[in-house]
Amino acid sequence: MKLLRHGPAGAEKPGILDAEGGVRDLSGIVRDIDAATLSPEGLDRLRGLDLGSLPLVDENVRLGVPVAHVGNLVCIGLNYTDHAEETNAPIPSQPIIFNKHTGALSGPFDDVILPPGSTKLDWEVELAFVIGRPCWHVSEEEALSYVAGYTILNDLSEREYQLEWEGQWAKGKSYPTFAPCGPWLVTGDEVGDPQNLDLWLDLNGRREQTGTTTRMIFTCAHIVAYASRFMALQPGDIITTGTPPGVGLGRKPPVFMKAGDTMRLGITGLGEQQQTLKPRAA
């Protein structure tokens, strides 16, 4: 299943994609794409629906973040061997965990806001997954059974704030619109093996990132099990798993974005996103 949320920002409604690519409204079935819906029981209920009987939504409707009430946005850094190499960083021996503020989440086609004075804004296409049931001290063997589904996240990063200013990475990662997410949440049964997906990102029509999750240092299952040792993951939590090579920081010399630039990105079976960079309104 491909679950989504549609409508104006702050007033999104739950939805599902039908076999023809049409958006069907789930408002009469579930309250939102939230913890109850993401549970195994909630997903099983949706699998039994006759999608043709649900209201069809206008094809031009805005899509929002596919998950409501996200409590935690956990990130894994330097999780591709070739990305670590391009940024001259050592290959990590354990997952590098950091957080983005959930206020950074935005829809997959919403504009990205360029912070005033920002000169080092970078792009990062990433595979993300969403927790479907409470997850604390789980084994790697059972870890993926706690995942409700997978989606795309663009882990936008202001490199000056992240790397040159004192403190942790969060300040370079958490500006509003720095985590476009979606277009859909694709359930695990439809995705299959998350370690065999292709990722790509174009900037202004030029291919910048090309990668595959086969190059992840730590698999999705390992990340779930590892993170659950240090935090009790909750339904609706999003974990994003790192980016492949081709970021602006890795270019020689580095290349960063400016107002008017457009990113287009996608992952096998998970759809595509597109954002245009706009300066913050006065």
Side-chain angles (χ1 to χ4, degrees):
M1 293 184 294
K2 294 181 173 70
L3 304 177
L4 53 90
R5 298 172 68 244
H6 60 92
E12 293 93 345
K13 297 179 180 179
I16 188 169
L17 208 68
D18 66 24
E20 288 72 43
V23 174
R24 299 282 178 166
D25 185 62
L26 284 173
S27 297
I29 307 297
V30 296
R31 178 180 57 188
D32 212 332
I33 308 300
D34 55 14
T37 303
L38 296 171
S39 69
E41 297 78 15
L43 294 178
D44 283 344
R45 180 187 180 199
L46 296 183
R47 288 189 181 98
L49 293 175
D50 173 13
L51 299 188
S53 67
L54 300 175
L56 188 62
V57 178
D58 187 294
E59 63 181 6
N60 296 315
V61 69
R62 172 189 173 271
L63 298 182
V65 180
V67 180
H69 314 305
V70 177
N72 201 10
L73 178 49
V74 181
C75 308
I76 306 298
L78 300 173
N79 194 32
Y80 286 73
T81 53
D82 34 11
H83 173 56
E85 291 163 358
E86 74 170 345
T87 56
N88 297 313
I91 303 296
S93 60
Q94 298 183 45
I96 297 172
I97 297 178
F98 64 96
N99 283 81
K100 290 174 83 89
H101 194 289
T102 55
L105 287 162
S106 59
F109 303 101
D110 292 347
D111 292 336
V112 167
I113 301 171
L114 181 66
S118 168
T119 60
K120 296 184 178 180
L121 185 58
D122 206 347
W123 56 86
E124 295 187 41
V125 58
E126 302 198 5
L127 171 68
F129 56 82
V130 178
I131 299 298
R133 55 192 177 111
C135 178
W136 186 33
H137 285 286
V138 303
S139 69
E140 189 167 339
E141 291 71 27
E142 63 179 342
L144 293 187
S145 70
Y146 289 82
V147 173
Y150 301 83
T151 189
I152 304 168
L153 191 135
N154 189 355
D155 177 22
L156 287 146
S157 306
E158 215 301 342
R159 300 299 191 186
E160 181 180 4
Y161 305 168
Q162 177 192 358
L163 302 173
E164 299 175 32
W165 292 8
E166 294 181 3
Q168 299 184 357
W169 286 4
K171 68 174 66 173
K173 300 276 190 173
S174 295
Y175 199 75
T177 72
F178 273 21
C181 186
W184 322 301
L185 175 67
V186 185
T187 51
D189 58 325
E190 188 169 324
V191 171
D193 182 4
Q195 303 310 141
N196 189 30
L197 304 175
D198 294 330
L199 308 83
W200 58 270
L201 181 144
D202 294 345
L203 178 66
N204 299 326
R206 171 177 165 169
R207 182 60 46 94
E208 296 289 350
Q209 287 189 275
T210 302
T212 170
T213 59
T214 62
R215 295 295 301 269
M216 278 187 185
I217 300 167
F218 306 106
T219 66
C220 294
H222 184 89
I223 291 167
V224 173
Y226 184 85
S228 77
R229 293 167 51 188
F230 307 104
M231 59 190 79
L233 299 167
Q234 300 300 317
D237 284 353
I238 297 175
I239 301 182
T240 191
T241 60
T243 197
V247 299
L249 182 65
R251 298 271 294 274
K252 295 180 174 54
V255 173
F256 300 113
M257 292 187 289
K258 62 186 183 305
D261 284 349
T262 296
M263 295 165 283
R264 189 171 183 85
L265 54 149
I267 299 178
T268 307
L270 303 185
E272 297 183 4
Q273 300 183 359
Q274 181 168 310
Q275 302 98 31
T276 297
L277 203 59
K278 298 290 182 65
R280 182 177 181 271

